[in-house]
Amino acid sequence: VLENVELYSRSVPGLREVTGRRLGDRFEAVLSSVFPGHGIDLRAEAGNLGPGRAQVVEVARAVLALQGSGSVLVLDEATAALGPERAADLFRWIRAHRGSGSLGVIVISHRLGEITGQTDRTAVLRNGETIFTGPSAELSKDQLVELMGGSARPPRERRTPTATGAGRQDDVVSVRGVRCGPAKQGASLSLRAGELAGLGGLVNQGQRELLDAIFLAGTRRCRGAEVHGTVAYVSGDRAARGVFPGWSVGDNMAATVASTLSRWGFLRRRRIQEFVADWMARLDIRAADPAAGIGSLSGGNQQKVLIGRAIGSGASLLLLDDPTRGVDATTKAVIADLLLDFVAKGGSCLWYSS
């Protein structure tokens, strides 16, 4: 962690000469100021922190840079990987420092409550154009959604599962005492066909480890976990565990179905193109061409590709690790509708959300 901070500080005027223990002491002070009780060891490998703690380090690193020569802090989806407690810590720190007159903060967020509740003024951009600027206090969440180009509709009512799922009473997932976090006793749960179960808890409390264990149980024996059926997993760490960065939008979408859309070992390109076009239309994925690189899409559209890939795979069980993190309100509604349709047809879904 400290090595990451040191590399970053070399490009920041006023911090270039601060190294080693002095830098560590200053960064620890910033971490504790913004995120009290963070529990991060500066000697730990940054790659092992997980999205939540990695984001804590990222934010604190930017705050440290303000001590060099900065006066504007830009938070681009900074709370997307933070749990409610850590997000509250961040905004508490901002409120304490923005009144000094020496710090300006720009918040870019799909968490609309942060825009209406934590900022002074709001600017809404759509397709690269500024379509609204004004006091945040004058905006409601519904107005924000409509300005962004969406529709502020209420969540759709949950359907009763069809006979395909309703008549099956056997557990699709059975977990007994799987160790997946700081607790000694481990986690236990069961999930049946036609059920959509929510997985709660603060960030980094074993949710990802539990989902990983269930996913592994779908492909091989895993102590304490049993899965009956096929499994698809949508990771919350899109960049590291979701998209294939060197592939096109279409190839990312069809990655899990290529084998079923082939004949005698040869890919049936027309079938694959039809599959991709169908899911891009269903999810309103805004790409110039399915052959475009996945990196050309916004984060929200990349997430839609992963959701379409999972549901389109034909799996009977979906495991979702915070799939709507950093996604706009309209896209969240589209994803929720797809998942409700999936379980209504007899599928099962375990959904962790922060």
Side-chain angles (χ1 to χ4, degrees), residues 196-283:
L196 191 159
L199 189 60
L202 297 175
V203 174
N204 294 324
Q205 296 302 305
Q207 298 93 336
R208 171 176 286 182
E209 291 83 355
L210 176 60
L211 292 173
D212 285 348
I214 295 172
F215 180 69
L216 289 175
T219 57
R220 64 172 187 247
R221 292 181 63 85
C222 180
R223 184 177 180 182
E226 291 184 16
V227 172
H228 303 282
T230 51
V231 189
Y233 192 167
V234 178
S235 172
D237 193 348
R238 183 170 53 243
R241 307 178 74 192
V243 300
F244 298 103
W247 292 18
S248 68
V249 174
D251 287 343
N252 266 276
M253 178 79 77
T256 58
V257 297
S259 60
T260 61
L261 298 180
S262 62
R263 189 176 185 183
W264 298 326
F266 294 94
L267 295 176
R268 303 172 72 179
R269 285 293 175 185
R270 173 175 276 183
R271 292 282 304 278
I272 291 175
Q273 289 169 359
E274 290 172 350
F275 171 85
V276 171
D278 176 48
W279 277 101
M280 287 184 70
R282 286 200 219 183
L283 290 162

Side-chain angles (χ1 to χ4, degrees), residues 75-91:
L75 300 173
D76 185 0
E77 299 289 358
T79 60
L82 300 179
E85 183 180 358
R86 290 304 177 204
D89 286 340
L90 175 57
F91 283 109

Side-chain angles (χ1 to χ4, degrees), residues 301-342:
N301 278 297
Q302 288 185 28
Q303 196 68 10
K304 289 181 185 178
V305 170
L306 299 183
I307 294 288
R309 184 171 77 189
I311 299 178
S313 70
S316 57
L317 169 65
L318 294 185
L319 303 175
L320 307 173
D321 179 6
D322 216 0
T324 59
R325 175 166 59 89
V327 170
D328 63 84
T330 302
T331 301
K332 287 180 181 179
V334 171
I335 292 173
D337 284 351
L338 282 169
L339 296 176
L340 290 174
D341 285 337
F342 175 76

Side-chain angles (χ1 to χ4, degrees), residues 26-91:
R26 288 178 67 169
F27 185 66
E28 175 63 41
V30 168
L31 262 178
S32 298
S33 172
V34 183
F35 302 105
H38 56 82
I40 294 174
D41 185 348
L42 301 189
R43 297 166 298 179
E45 287 190 24
N48 294 332
L49 291 180
R53 289 191 169 188
Q55 191 73 351
V56 164
V57 171
E58 185 84 6
V59 171
R61 196 171 64 172
V63 173
L64 177 68
L66 294 174
Q67 297 183 359
S69 61
S71 59
V72 177
L73 177 63
V74 180
L75 300 173
D76 185 0
E77 299 289 358
T79 60
L82 300 179
E85 183 180 358
R86 290 304 177 204
D89 286 340
L90 175 57
F91 283 109

